[in-house]
Amino acid sequence: MCGIIGYIGAEDAVDILIEGLQRLEYRGYDSAGVAVCHQGELALRREVGKLNNLIKRLAKEPLSGQMGIGHTRWATHGRPTEFNAHPHTDNANELVVVHNGIIENYLNLKTRLQAEGYHFVSETDTEVIAHLIKSHFKGDLKAAVLATIAELEGAYAICVMHAAEPNYLVAAKKNSPLLLGTGQDANFIASDVPAILRHTRDIIYLEDEQLAVVSQHQIEVFDLQGQPQDYEVSHIDWNMVAAEKMGFDHFMLKEIHEQPTAFGQTLAGRVSEGEQKLYLDELNLSPEAVKDIRRICIVACGTAYYAGLVGKYLLEDGARIPVEVDLASEFRYRRPILDRHTLVIAISQSGETADTLAAIQEAKAQGAKTLGIINVKGSAITRQVDGVLYIHAGPEISVASTKAFMAMLGALQLLRLYLAHHCAQLNNTELVAAIRELRTVPRLIEETLQKIEPQIQEISTQLLRYHHCLYLGRGVNFPIALEGALKLKEVSYIHAEGYAAGELKHGPIALVDPLMPIIALATASDTYEKLFSNLEEVKARDGKIIAVATEGNESIAKVAEEVIYVPAVPEWLSPMINVLPMQLLAYYVALRRGFDVDQPRNLAKSVTVE
Ligand code: AGP
């Protein structure tokens, strides 16, 4: 995710801006820039790559001024280039803006502004904001920004500076984090606490759809109608390391709780608020090309592979196209038979996994179409495939993948709708209804996490005494059983296996005894009755069952000692909800076992070698 910092005060701004951006580096970025206002003039410096490149540029071409803004960019719209780096200016270089988020209607706004004579120099959605403010500016920057954000759809956290208004900055936010800091003889704007913690511990968290006017000695907050709003000042007692985790004990828990945002960011800009349409040109798959696909092969490793298995159920059910899912490490060695009618999809958070990269190279060698579902912009796999569906999860620091997995499922849900629609399996009415349901998922994730976390903390203490666990699921939740087992294994080092529940009688039931807890995904589904029978067989052998079940299901208590209730959702949405107790359970068991949750032994975040 992008990083934002703004400063107005008695000191020179540049060093404070650079230090703040350095404190935000953990968020990941591919370019950076700063702008200052001095004696009624704006000046900016932007560089691709790491902050050191910007620091070197500033050493050669220094800036000076007591008011400034800075930005580290995690590219979404537009490649990582100097012209796409923030801050962005209007054509007269009278105002600058930095932005974190995705403006979903930026193309419509850009077309209109170009028709009105505004000249664009970047590929970004953010530049639209600069020209829009310019078009509304009549001498009052606050009014111009209010008029601008009234036209924006999607998510934004912005900080704006105008040469004609050298005594204050303007900030505003909606669905993207932004906070203010009150310091000694200075005030601050930032996307996250670490950026300004050295200067102040007194923080004001802007609410959604609020705007702030920040001068050296005053902070005023307004609603979108320009009405003054009261605000609270919170005193932060975190140390710097805790601040980067937003107060969570580990990045894994922080990233579990970032999943509503990660899922929402994956949808943002791809489903419009108004027309309920899909915008997926980045797939580079025209409706004609979709009709030409006779088979889909998904290749991935680890958690990404389990996302691919969910994808198999989603895409085959939705688009009626045959889907195979291969472990990328096996794919190229099994001599796969591919051709131009095959679509090979690589799923990878890092975009650097050696086996997945090699699988895509094999696919290209055989003339298959290729698509990447990737998190890291510009990574190796993205440079190999014909189209990329970025998952916009933001940098995932913990080795155990959680929010990236969630965002992969979001991307696969979008792909399901796109393919189904162009394979005439989903008409417009059904598409609109499906998009509407998909847009409820971020809220459902949020509500589920809040509801089940205390219970999971309790259950995790019970699991400490065991050395083995069996995870069971059916249908689209069988891969979630596999993912749940992997999560527990990789962070708590307890041996766990995921199984299709129907497989129990074919062997695993021999393992069932009082020392083998069973984690069962038993939410509402077409195969619930069959899964319930499987659990009765486990119960009859004194197996300890912990079940994830749909709210209102009382029968499950007949077989399960513990029931984790989750909200009722259509089965095709259930993987995004059912994975949540799996992630939290693994986290709290590992925590109680005292292990390094974010950096488990023997594991790396990205396996860039075979
Ligand atoms: C998942 O928690 C693990 N960190 C690991 O299985 C990971 O999913 C796998 O290495 C694939 O990584 P990628 O998504 O970056 O390709």
Side-chain angles (χ1 to χ4, degrees), residues 86-205:
H86 302 206
H88 285 284
T89 70
D90 66 315
N91 292 141
N93 205 37
E94 290 168 345
L95 69 94
V96 285
V97 61
V98 292
H99 166 231
N100 182 18
I102 292 177
I103 303 305
E104 297 181 8
N105 61 333
Y106 86 97
L107 284 175
N108 294 343
L109 293 169
K110 182 170 183 175
T111 305
R112 191 190 86 197
L113 288 161
Q114 284 173 321
E116 292 169 6
Y118 293 90
H119 173 59
F120 283 73
V121 296
S122 82
E123 305 161 308
T124 68
D125 54 343
T126 303
E127 191 183 355
V128 164
I129 301 174
H131 296 306
L132 213 44
I133 295 171
K134 168 71 176 182
S135 72
H136 289 298
F137 185 70
K138 307 281 184 293
D140 177 342
L141 184 57
K142 178 187 128 196
V145 175
L146 281 171
T148 295
I149 56 183
E151 297 195 67
L152 301 182
E153 283 180 20
Y156 57 80
I158 59 173
C159 184
V160 186
M161 183 166 69
H162 198 295
E165 309 278 0
N167 300 315
Y168 68 89
L169 297 165
V170 174
K173 80 171 288 269
K174 178 187 171 191
N175 297 337
S176 185
L178 197 64
L179 51 84
L180 313 173
T182 64
Q184 290 299 325
D185 214 12
N187 282 322
F188 302 80
I189 296 163
S191 41
D192 206 346
V193 167
I196 57 175
L197 198 58
R198 193 173 71 79
H199 304 283
T200 178
R201 289 183 173 274
D202 294 325
I203 302 294
I204 297 148
Y205 291 97

Side-chain angles (χ1 to χ4, degrees), residues 301-304 347-351 353 399-401 408 486-487 490 607:
C301 300
T303 286
I347 304 178
S348 175
Q349 186 286 129
S350 63
T353 299
V399 165
S401 185
M408 289 168 186
L486 174 61
K487 282 284 138 332
E490 66 175 327
V607 182

Side-chain angles (χ1 to χ4, degrees), residues 300-306 347-354 356 373-374 376 381 396 398-402 404 408 483 486-487 490-491 603-607:
C301 300
T303 286
Y305 171 71
Y306 298 141
I347 304 178
S348 175
Q349 186 286 129
S350 63
E352 299 291 346
T353 299
T356 310
I373 294 179
I374 311 290
V376 178
I381 295 173
E396 189 175 62
S398 179
V399 165
S401 185
T402 52
M408 289 168 186
E483 169 60 8
L486 174 61
K487 282 284 138 332
E490 66 175 327
V491 294
L603 294 180
K605 182 59 186 169
S606 175
V607 182

